């Protein structure tokens, strides 16, 4: 099976839909085997030759805000500190200081919710409360251990980190998710296994 070919076809097939429905001019994809860290496929942009979208820039390696995709890592730190999926949080309008009042995507509050419910519904207020409980520095430390090196200055981030307030790369985030799939073991991404010459001799 040609992983790269399939990845390119997926990106191409979704380009028009993403542009129309999400105003996304570009898209990227990386697929990693969490058991080995081997990169199975990488598509850096939807069209290498399109200068209007900087098509020759590899978006997989360009830092961007991850949005709610960072939440599982913050909750993982909460679990490491003794909380669990059933730990209750209050999903109510909260001022976290200096007028920072995050809202949920639907503008509603649900009252008492478990971490399981908060993550499953991608609720913002409980996520920010969880980061306040575990501490930004500790959350960044876990993110670093999971391969997210771009989050390199914990003093610069506030509680909005859990809502995607810190830039990181898609390659880092995909590797970090691989830690969940590999039972807590981080395996750095590997792009090249071997270099052969045209006669099949191994050069490196």
């Amino acid at each position: 099976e040609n992983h790269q070919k399939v990845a390119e076809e997926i990106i191409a097939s979704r380009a028009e839909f993403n542009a129309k429905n999400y105003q996304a001019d570009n898209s990227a994809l990386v697929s990693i085997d969490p058991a080995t860290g081997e990169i199975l496929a990488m598509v850096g942009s939807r069209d290498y030759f399109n200068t209007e979208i900087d098509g020759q820039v590899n978006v997989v390696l360009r830092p961007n805000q991850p949005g709610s995709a960072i939440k599982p890592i913050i909750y993982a730190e909460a679990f490491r500190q003794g909380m669990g999926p059933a730990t209750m949080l209050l999903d109510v309008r909260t001022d976290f200081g200096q007028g920072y009042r995050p809202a949920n995507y639907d503008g509603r509050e649900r009252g008492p919710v478990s971490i399981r419910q908060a993550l499953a519904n991608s609720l913002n207020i409980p996520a920010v409360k969880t980061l306040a409980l575990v501490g930004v520095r500790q959350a960044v430390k876990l993110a670093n251990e999971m391969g997210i090196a771009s989050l390199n200055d914990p003093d610069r981030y506030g509680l909005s980190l859990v809502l995607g307030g810190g830039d990181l790369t898609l390659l880092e985030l995909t590797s970090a998710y691989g830690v969940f799939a590999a039972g807590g073991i981080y395996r750095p991404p590997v792009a090249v296994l071997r270099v052969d010459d045209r006669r099949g001799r191994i050069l490196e």
Side-chain angles (χ1 to χ4, degrees):
E1 186 181 353
N2 189 328
H3 296 283
Q4 184 65 27
K5 184 171 182 289
V6 171
E8 289 172 9
E9 288 171 354
I10 290 169
I11 289 290
S13 70
R14 299 291 291 182
E16 189 177 328
F17 178 87
N18 289 339
K20 180 180 174 185
N21 293 282
Y22 300 112
Q23 292 74 54
D25 294 330
N26 206 351
S27 50
L29 182 154
V30 63
S31 174
I32 296 177
D33 181 347
T36 62
E38 293 171 15
I39 298 171
L40 304 177
M42 182 187 293
V43 183
S45 73
R46 68 177 173 84
D47 185 353
Y48 181 85
F49 299 103
N50 188 336
T51 55
E52 289 181 19
I53 61 166
D54 291 329
Q56 295 181 16
V57 173
N58 188 345
V59 181
V60 172
L61 303 177
R62 173 177 273 184
N64 284 293
Q65 291 197 343
S68 292
I70 195 74
K71 285 176 182 172
I73 294 167
I74 308 305
Y75 285 120
E77 176 55 31
F79 296 162
R80 198 157 75 160
Q81 292 188 25
M83 297 179 219
T87 298
M88 298 303 290
L89 302 164
L90 280 179
D91 180 25
V92 295
R93 194 81 167 150
T94 306
D95 188 330
F96 289 92
Q98 299 179 315
Y100 181 51
R101 298 183 195 90
N104 293 323
Y105 63 91
D106 58 2
R108 293 173 48 223
E109 290 93 39
R110 292 157 178 79
V113 294
S114 66
I115 284 181
R116 181 184 288 109
Q117 292 169 310
L119 178 57
N121 291 283
S122 194
L123 301 178
N124 291 338
I125 298 170
V128 175
K129 287 189 175 182
T130 301
L131 181 55
L133 289 169
V134 303
V136 171
R137 186 171 290 277
Q138 286 303 114
V140 169
K141 183 173 180 285
L142 177 60
N144 293 161
E145 291 170 4
M146 294 175 75
I148 302 178
S150 294
L151 296 179
N152 54 18
D153 187 1
D155 295 329
R156 199 180 63 186
Y157 311 117
L159 296 179
S160 66
L161 176 68
V162 72
L163 306 183
D167 288 356
L168 48 88
T169 72
L170 178 59
L171 182 61
E172 290 174 324
L173 188 62
T174 307
S175 289
Y177 270 60
V179 174
F180 294 125
I185 299 169
Y186 170 64
R187 293 182 174 89
V190 178
V192 178
L193 297 178
R194 189 177 72 212
V195 179
D196 296 347
D197 69 9
R198 61 194 173 92
R199 295 193 180 96
R201 290 180 300 191
I202 297 173
L203 302 179
E204 188 176 340

